[in-house]
């Protein structure tokens, strides 16, 4: 009996001692779990960074399949740009129409307009900032461009002083420098360029 009681007493003492050790053990286990979670987050973020890099490489490979085209026809645009223009005009009601070829391009170096590889989709009168429904129309056009870039060979889209490029989709919607006005900063139109 005595030995049975000692065993019980021992278990009780051991239990109390183990309870103290168990508390310290739980704290240690909690710290280890937190460290493991932190490590997993760091690895995940690293993998996402790597994934972003891989997305960029894949985008570059896709971009290479689009060979340069020369403008044709009286509108002086490439067949690729014409297809994009026609698709956007079919998909969206544009209050201000579209304009593509410009001899000077409107920027230093000319840009894509003189090459027949760019169109501006006007959301209203030139020089008037798009607001309300017209601004939302611009957002919808940008979403369409991003969803269909691979289908049509779209290189980049500019709207509201931001740019997105299919060559670097992992970079997202990037702010641009101030070009000095509503039209220069693309607040009244969406600009689309193709390869």
């Amino acid at each position: 009996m005595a030995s049975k009681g000692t065993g019980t007493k021992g278990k009780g003492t051991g239990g109390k001692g183990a309870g103290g050790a168990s508390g310290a053990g739980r704290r240690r286990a909690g710290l280890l779990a937190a460290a493991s979670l932190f490590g997993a987050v760091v690895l995940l973020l690293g993998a996402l960074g790597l994934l972003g890099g891989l997305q960029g490489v894949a985008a570059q490979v896709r971009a290479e399949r689009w060979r340069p085209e020369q403008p044709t026809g009286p509108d002086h645009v490439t067949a690729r740009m014409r297809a994009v223009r026609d698709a956007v005009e079919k998909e969206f009601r544009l209050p201000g129409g579209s304009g593509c070829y410009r001899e000077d391009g409107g920027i230093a170096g000319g840009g894509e307009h003189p090459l027949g590889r760019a169109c501006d989709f006007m959301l209203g009168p030139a020089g008037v900032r798009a607001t309300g429904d017209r601004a939302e129309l611009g957002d919808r056009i940008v979403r369409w461009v991003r969803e269909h870039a691979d289908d049509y060979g779209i290189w980049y889209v500019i709207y509201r002083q931001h740019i997105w490029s299919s060559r670097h989709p992992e970079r997202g919607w990037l702010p641009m420098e101030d070009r000095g006005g509503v039209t220069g900063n693309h607040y009244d139109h969406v600009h689309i360029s193709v390869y």
Side-chain angles (χ1 to χ4, degrees), residues 42-80:
V42 168
L43 285 174
L44 179 61
L45 291 175
L48 289 175
L50 178 59
L51 180 60
L54 292 175
Q55 287 173 339
V57 169
Q60 294 291 333
V61 169
R62 285 192 308 271
E64 293 304 317
R65 78 172 191 234
W66 299 103
R67 299 288 167 228
E69 295 179 336
Q70 296 301 313
T72 61
D75 55 0
H76 298 284
V77 296
T78 66
R80 187 173 301 128

Side-chain angles (χ1 to χ4, degrees), residues 5-185:
T6 306
T8 304
K9 192 174 186 180
K11 278 186 182 178
T13 307
K16 187 176 183 183
S22 177
R26 277 185 254 153
R27 281 190 297 274
R28 240 177 284 136
L31 289 173
L32 285 173
S36 295
L37 180 59
F38 178 75
V41 168
V42 168
L43 285 174
L44 179 61
L45 291 175
L48 289 175
L50 178 59
L51 180 60
L54 292 175
Q55 287 173 339
V57 169
Q60 294 291 333
V61 169
R62 285 192 308 271
E64 293 304 317
R65 78 172 191 234
W66 299 103
R67 299 288 167 228
E69 295 179 336
Q70 296 301 313
T72 61
D75 55 0
H76 298 284
V77 296
T78 66
R80 187 173 301 128
M81 186 70 251
R82 191 174 294 112
V84 170
R85 181 194 62 204
D86 294 349
V88 170
E89 289 178 347
K90 181 179 177 185
E91 186 74 20
F92 304 99
R93 190 184 141 282
L94 300 168
S98 64
C100 300
Y101 176 79
R102 285 197 312 268
E103 193 171 321
D104 69 356
I107 61 171
E112 304 301 314
H113 287 286
L115 302 174
R117 297 191 309 227
C119 285
D120 292 333
F121 299 90
M122 302 305 294
L123 303 171
V128 177
R129 183 185 293 256
T131 59
D133 290 344
R134 291 184 299 122
E136 172 55 30
L137 172 61
D139 292 334
R140 289 190 353 253
I141 293 170
V142 168
R143 281 192 300 272
W144 182 91
V145 165
R146 292 176 72 165
E147 289 169 6
H148 294 89
D150 283 345
D151 302 331
Y152 287 96
I154 297 171
W155 179 10
Y156 61 88
V157 60
I158 303 173
Y159 180 51
R160 291 188 189 171
Q161 206 173 339
H162 283 74
I163 185 169
W164 176 85
S165 170
S166 65
R167 281 191 188 267
H168 301 286
E170 75 283 1
R171 294 181 185 169
W173 193 228
L174 298 174
M176 294 179 66
E177 73 282 356
D178 185 353
R179 292 185 175 175
V182 171
T183 301
N185 287 323

